[in-house]
Amino acid sequence: MRYFTSDTHFGHPLVSVLRGYLNNGRLRAEYAQIRAEQGDEKAHEWIKSYVKENQTSFKAISDVEAHENAAIEGINATVGRDDELWLLGDISFRCTVAHTLDCLRRINCRHLHMIIGNHDRNFRLRFNDALYEDVFETIDDYREIGMELPVLGDADGSAAVQNTVQNTVQNVGLSHFPRLAAMIDGHGVWPDDLAKFADDAPTTESWLIYGHTHQPTPDGTDSLCVNIGMDAWDMKPVSETQIVEWLTAANRKAAQTN
C-alpha cells in the first residue's frame, strides 16, 4: 500500500505548540479546551496572545520531543515496513541534519520518498539532496504517479463521476504546495503564498495531492485535489485507498451542487 503525509515539522516549536504539544500541563489543558470548544483558529489566537502578553516564546512553552514522538508513532501505527510512504515536504524546521535523519530513521518503513517543501534544507539548494539520499528512495520537487482514480464525465472534471465506469489509472501530481491557480485566487492558501511560491506551485489542473497549508480538514482547493497534511488527518498518513475514496466523494458532491 502507498501512504502519503506532509508537514511533520520535526524540531519546530511553533508547530508543536499549535498542535497542542506544550510542556506545561495547565497551559496544555486550557489550550486543548479552547480547541475543543471554539476550534483551531481561536485556540491559535489565544496561545499567540499568551506568548506575547507573557513575554515568552514558543520554544519556551513547546514540547517538541512529544510532538515528534506523536508524529512518528502515528506513522508507524499506520504504515507497514514494506509499504511506501511519501512525505510531501516540511519534514523538519531549522534543526540539525543529524536530528532530522534520526527522526526519519525511527520511521519503520523501508520505502520512503520525499517531495521537497519550503522548510526543507534542499528547497532552494538541490545539492543538499545528498544529505537525505540514504533514507529516501526518490527526492523530487514535484512528481506524478499512477493511481486508480474515478473517470469524470467531462475532461475538465466539472461533471459527475461516471457510476458506470470503474476507476482507471491516471496521473496524480504530488506537491508540497497547492496548485498555482489556487494561489492566484487566494483560495485555501496562506496570504503570502503567491508572492513567495508562485514559481514552485504546480501548474497542473488535474488530480493533485498536497500539504503545506496546515488546514484542519482534507478539503482541497477544488474537487480534483486533496490535502494530506498531518493537521487534516489526526497526525497520521493517508492511504491510497482513502485518497481515492475522498476524491470520488468530493467529485460527486461537486456535481450535485453544480
Side-chain angles (χ1 to χ4, degrees), residues 84-104:
E84 288 184 15
L85 176 62
W86 293 77
L87 296 169
L88 270 58
D90 285 5
I91 292 168
S92 63
F93 178 82
R94 295 182 183 176
C95 58
T96 65
V97 173
H99 183 74
T100 302
L101 291 174
D102 177 66
C103 289
L104 289 168

Side-chain angles (χ1 to χ4, degrees), residues 54 77 90 134 155 159 184 195 201 228:
N54 289 272
D90 285 5
D134 65 333
I184 292 172
I228 50 78

Side-chain angles (χ1 to χ4, degrees), residues 150-162 170 179 205-207 222-225 247-258:
V151 176
L152 302 172
D154 292 340
D156 64 359
S158 60
V161 172
Q162 293 184 9
Q170 302 172 58
R179 62 176 95 251
E205 296 180 359
S206 187
W207 305 105
D222 57 73
S223 63
L224 296 184
C225 56
L247 290 171
T248 301
N251 278 276
R252 287 194 173 126
K253 182 179 180 180
Q256 291 170 0
T257 58
N258 288 337

Side-chain angles (χ1 to χ4, degrees), residues 2 146-150 167-170 240 244 248:
R2 290 188 292 203
M147 188 178 291
E148 288 198 0
L149 291 163
N167 291 0
T168 188
V169 175
Q170 302 172 58
E240 183 171 345
V244 171
T248 301

